[in-house]
Amino acid sequence: MRKSIASYLILTLSICILLFVSVSSKETVIDLGKYSTKGIELCYTVSQDENIKDNVLASNEVNKAFSPYLGKSFVGFKEAIGFKESRGNYFIVNTFGYLGKYQFGKGTLRALGINNTDTFLKTPELQERAFIAYAQRNKWILRRDIKNFVGKRINGILITESGILAAAHLSGAGSVKKYLRSYGLDNFSDGYGTTIEHYMRKFAGYDTSFLKADRKAKAM
């Protein structure tokens, strides 16, 4: 009998404690009706431009933060290459004289219709156009190799169109042809030791269908 009474008292006490905790843990409701921003100078960090297009490229505007997850999109492709080449710096010249975000040589720029390197270095939009034009040229030059090798493996690396175009940006289309047609035996490396094979692996699987093969593509 005593055990039953003790059990009953413990149960009752436990219920009281649970009810107390439940009531006390409820958030206090705040009446916001009395609050107003009238007369306060507000500072917005989001642009109020309603005419922004969805397809604007990531690098069209310099010195503005842009950090969405770009995945394997074309914008992701070019931004990844830009970061690898220069950490995304439009205004840099490396120790070998390569210029800008995508590290173009003067000879390549002349082929793209750009003769004034000072203007090129100061104009991010021109650098973006140059990247696309050069990729279009390389896609035309390598069109047969893209058709013949995409989907195959060389030295364990899955060959993709984006990997081929990235490697062509690094070394030129001719060196990429030699690499593919030698099945990896002729593996060009640049002045810093970066190889075609490294770019093939690092930039594989991006969507470069946006690029149209164009033998005469120009940036100007």
Side-chain angles (χ1 to χ4, degrees):
M1 182 67 177
R2 290 181 179 178
K3 289 184 179 180
S4 299
I5 295 173
S7 299
Y8 177 76
L9 289 173
I10 291 171
L11 179 61
T12 302
L13 182 60
S14 298
I15 292 172
C16 290
I17 292 172
L18 289 172
L19 287 172
F20 175 77
V21 171
S22 175
V23 172
S24 63
S25 64
K26 290 183 178 179
E27 295 181 359
T28 304
V29 178
I30 299 174
D31 181 9
L32 298 177
K34 298 179 181 179
Y35 291 86
S36 172
T37 58
K38 185 177 180 180
I40 300 176
E41 185 176 348
L42 302 178
C43 178
Y44 296 97
T45 58
V46 180
S47 171
Q48 299 182 48
D49 185 356
E50 297 178 356
N51 298 317
I52 295 176
K53 297 180 181 179
D54 292 334
N55 63 349
V56 173
L57 295 181
S59 299
N60 279 354
E61 296 183 82
V62 188
N63 298 326
K64 289 193 176 182
F66 188 91
S67 58
Y69 177 69
L70 298 173
K72 292 290 186 176
S73 66
F74 174 73
V75 176
F77 173 69
K78 74 181 189 64
E79 292 304 307
I81 290 180
F83 186 81
K84 177 67 175 68
E85 292 286 335
S86 70
R87 295 298 187 268
N89 188 341
Y90 286 105
F91 312 109
I92 194 171
V93 180
N94 77 1
T95 54
F96 294 102
Y98 288 88
L99 303 105
K101 176 179 175 180
Y102 300 105
Q103 294 291 278
F104 278 101
K106 293 179 180 179
T108 300
L109 290 178
R110 283 194 294 271
L112 298 175
I114 300 169
N115 296 308
N116 190 323
T117 55
D118 289 335
T119 298
F120 174 78
L121 203 58
K122 295 174 183 177
T123 314
E125 288 186 8
L126 182 56
Q127 293 187 35
E128 295 297 330
R129 292 201 301 270
F131 176 84
I132 292 173
Y134 189 46
Q136 288 176 316
R137 280 177 170 245
N138 286 331
K139 189 167 182 176
W140 187 87
I141 295 169
L142 292 162
R143 63 196 184 282
R144 292 189 181 90
D145 298 276
I146 289 170
K147 180 179 179 181
N148 293 333
F149 287 96
V150 166
K152 295 182 179 179
R153 288 186 179 273
I154 295 178
N155 295 334
I157 299 170
L158 179 64
I159 305 302
T160 65
E161 181 178 285
S162 62
I164 288 174
L165 295 177
H169 184 88
L170 171 75
S171 66
S175 294
V176 175
K177 280 188 178 185
K178 291 178 182 178
Y179 172 83
L180 293 171
R181 296 178 188 187
S182 69
Y183 283 85
L185 294 177
D186 194 337
N187 188 17
F188 169 92
S189 62
D190 70 2
Y192 297 109
T194 305
T195 65
I196 284 178
E197 204 159 79
H198 177 72
Y199 265 45
M200 285 280 190
R201 180 187 294 108
K202 184 175 181 66
F203 299 106
Y206 285 89
D207 180 7
T208 51
S209 60
F210 163 83
L211 295 168
K212 305 301 180 185
D214 185 351
R215 181 170 62 92
K216 297 181 179 181
K218 298 280 187 179
M220 297 297 290

